[in-house]
């Protein structure tokens, strides 16, 4: 009781200072964003930034994508920029390549890269070769993206990794993001690039949350294609990895 009456008699400034000293403050929790939402955010920002950008593929519009990567984009941008296609990879990949040659910037989603084999002629012989064959006069600014590699219980036709295949094709740039920060920065750079870019996403990583730094939340955030990222600094050993293997190498 005496302690309370003593507090009452003190000046208000002294009392408030005493109360502050009795509590500690924790640092604010870092924003957590899944890889799926990071890709969605990157595409959304580029669709908003450049009216030449559009997305097409199977179930990307009204269904929000097979893996919900394009969630909300159809409602925001409408049928002309978020386009559902028939189950015909050769057909809609060809449409996308032609649109890129005509000056647009298509994002062509394969429901799985295993089915990009149906469109391999469009990807390799049309998109990848045209800039060189035209003597640098005809760029093909297109993004081919979708899940690639093994997942859980998806059987033989959905489990192949095409990183080495596409990585050995002249004329293509190939990226394979790991974290949410990587996914957003690379998809935005891929969309802005004047060359065809293959973005190989990991189905197992779509729902994994990562810390999302303030820098990555900016609409101007980009990760340059072709420059290695150091995830963990060391002195004695150099280890390179891509995709979900990055986590195993940095343990």
């Amino acid at each position: 009781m005496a302690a309370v009456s003593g507090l009452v008699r003190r000046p208000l400034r002294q009392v408030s200072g005493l109360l502050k000293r009795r509590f500690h403050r924790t640092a604010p929790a870092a924003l957590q964003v899944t890889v799926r939402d990071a890709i969605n955010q990157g595409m959304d920002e580029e669709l908003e930034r450049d009216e030449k950008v559009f997305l097409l593929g199977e179930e990307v519009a009204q269904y929000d994508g097979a893996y919900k990567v394009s969630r909300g984009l159809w409602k925001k941008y409408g049928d002309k920029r978020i386009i559902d296609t028939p189950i015909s990879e050769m057909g809609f990949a060809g449409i996308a390549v032609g649109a890129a040659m005509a000056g647009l910037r298509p994002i062509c989603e394969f429901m799985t890269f295993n089915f990009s084999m149906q469109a391999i002629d469009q990807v390799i012989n049309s998109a990848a070769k045209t800039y060189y064959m035209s003597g640098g006069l005809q760029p093909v600014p297109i993004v081919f993206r979708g899940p690639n590699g093994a997942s859980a219980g998806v059987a033989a036709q959905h489990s192949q990794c095409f990183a080495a295949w596409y990585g050995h094709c002249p004329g293509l740039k190939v990226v394979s993001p790991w974290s949410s920060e990587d996914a957003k920065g690379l998809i935005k750079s891929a969309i802005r690039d004047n060359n065809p870019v293959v973005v190989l996403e990991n189905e197992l990583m779509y729902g994994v949350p990562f810390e999302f730094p303030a820098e990555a939340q900016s609409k101007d955030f980009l990760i340059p294609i072709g420059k290695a990222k150091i995830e963990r600094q060391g002195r004695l050993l150099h280890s390179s990895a891509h995709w979900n293997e990055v986590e195993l190498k940095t343990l």
Side-chain angles (χ1 to χ4, degrees):
M1 194 70 181
V4 173
S5 61
L7 283 175
V8 172
R9 288 195 298 270
R10 291 185 183 185
L12 180 61
R13 184 178 302 172
Q14 294 182 15
V15 173
S16 62
L18 178 63
L19 293 175
K20 284 181 181 179
R21 287 197 296 272
R22 294 186 181 276
F23 294 93
H24 70 276
R25 295 180 179 179
T26 58
L31 177 65
Q32 297 278 317
V33 175
T34 64
V35 173
R36 172 188 293 109
D37 290 340
I39 299 170
N40 178 282
Q41 188 180 126
M43 291 194 297
D44 185 12
E45 290 175 1
E46 293 306 302
L47 284 159
E48 183 179 284
R49 172 182 171 274
D50 188 349
E51 63 181 10
K52 294 180 180 179
V53 177
F54 70 98
L55 171 68
L56 80 166
E58 297 159 356
E59 299 183 346
V60 299
Q62 298 185 46
Y63 190 66
D64 286 335
Y67 297 94
K68 306 308 176 189
V69 177
S70 56
R71 182 190 289 119
L73 298 182
W74 174 68
K75 291 181 180 179
K76 184 174 182 179
Y77 296 103
D79 291 322
K80 290 186 177 181
R81 300 189 65 194
I82 311 296
I83 304 170
D84 275 332
T85 66
I87 303 175
S88 175
E89 285 79 9
M90 180 181 290
F92 68 74
I95 291 172
V97 172
M101 291 180 180
L104 300 179
R105 292 185 174 271
I107 307 168
C108 178
E109 178 182 309
F110 294 119
M111 192 180 291
T112 165
F113 259 96
N114 295 269
F115 299 148
S116 72
M117 295 297 99
Q118 305 293 328
I120 196 71
D121 185 56
Q122 308 287 10
V123 177
I124 302 302
N125 290 326
S126 294
K129 303 293 190 293
T130 298
Y131 190 56
Y132 174 80
M133 297 294 288
S134 67
L137 297 177
Q138 180 60 68
V140 187
I142 184 172
V143 174
F144 299 102
R145 53 155 297 270
N148 167 71
S151 184
V154 294
Q157 291 186 336
H158 297 72
S159 299
Q160 300 168 103
C161 176
F162 294 94
W165 286 45
Y166 286 121
H168 283 80
C169 294
L172 291 178
K173 295 184 178 182
V174 182
V175 300
S176 183
W178 171 56
S179 67
S180 301
E181 178 182 348
D182 295 344
K184 179 182 176 182
L186 287 172
I187 191 66
K188 287 172 67 71
S189 291
I191 294 169
R192 297 188 190 190
D193 203 295
N194 284 329
N195 296 282
V197 182
V198 174
V199 181
L200 302 174
E201 300 158 7
N202 189 324
E203 182 182 338
L204 294 173
M205 301 297 292
Y206 277 144
V208 178
F210 288 86
E211 288 190 4
F212 210 54
E215 180 187 7
Q217 297 170 42
S218 169
K219 291 185 177 181
D220 298 321
F221 177 68
L222 299 171
I223 292 180
I225 296 175
K227 184 178 181 180
K229 181 182 179 184
I230 299 174
E231 288 288 349
R232 181 177 176 183
Q233 189 75 44
R235 295 187 303 107
L236 302 177
L237 180 66
H238 172 79
S239 180
S240 299
H242 73 101
W243 219 27
N244 59 337
E245 295 295 320
V246 174
E247 182 176 17
L248 300 177
K249 299 290 187 180
T250 54
L251 291 177

